Amino acid sequence: MQMHNPPHPGEIIKELCLEPLGLTVTEAAKGLDVSRKTLSSIINGKAGINPEMAVRLSIAFNTSSESWINQQSQYDLWQAEQHRNELHVRRLSAA
């Protein structure tokens, strides 16, 4: 089954969390207790969501940390699949 191109979790943060609440990146970063640069990097797709950030987001936005990790995993896997043909891997089998 072909996966669709999932959005980067940073887009979700921006569109579904910050914008509806009228929060700036600076305000959200303060609420998450992270630097503005850290949150900005995630929102701009330059950094991913690690487990600690997933927990922070889950607390701040009343979501599950698993949902944030799953979004990141789906995004990362889709990106990796786009380069499948460039990998020089051979199928292994029992001798």
Side-chain angles (χ1 to χ4, degrees):
M1 180 169 100
Q2 182 72 10
M3 290 174 53
H4 70 286
N5 182 1
H8 187 279
E11 291 180 54
I12 304 299
I13 294 169
K14 181 181 178 190
E15 294 175 12
L16 298 182
C17 298
L18 302 189
E19 289 176 356
L21 295 173
L23 293 172
T24 66
V25 174
T26 301
E27 292 167 336
K30 285 180 185 175
L32 292 165
D33 195 28
V34 298
S35 72
R36 184 191 187 292
K37 182 178 179 182
T38 295
L39 184 57
S40 182
S41 291
I42 293 170
I43 289 172
N44 292 314
K46 306 229 184 278
I49 293 177
N50 62 28
E52 182 181 307
M53 181 58 78
V55 172
R56 289 174 186 272
L57 291 166
S58 73
I59 294 167
F61 299 113
N62 195 31
T63 58
S64 73
S65 51
E66 292 87 353
S67 69
W68 294 107
I69 290 296
N70 288 339
Q71 288 176 50
Q72 187 66 55
S73 293
Q74 289 173 2
Y75 177 82
D76 291 344
L77 180 58
W78 191 87
Q79 294 297 319
E81 285 286 353
Q82 302 317 297
H83 302 283
R84 174 183 279 269
N85 294 333
E86 298 168 21
L87 301 175
H88 302 287
V89 178
R90 62 183 175 88
R91 192 174 303 264
L92 301 174
S93 60

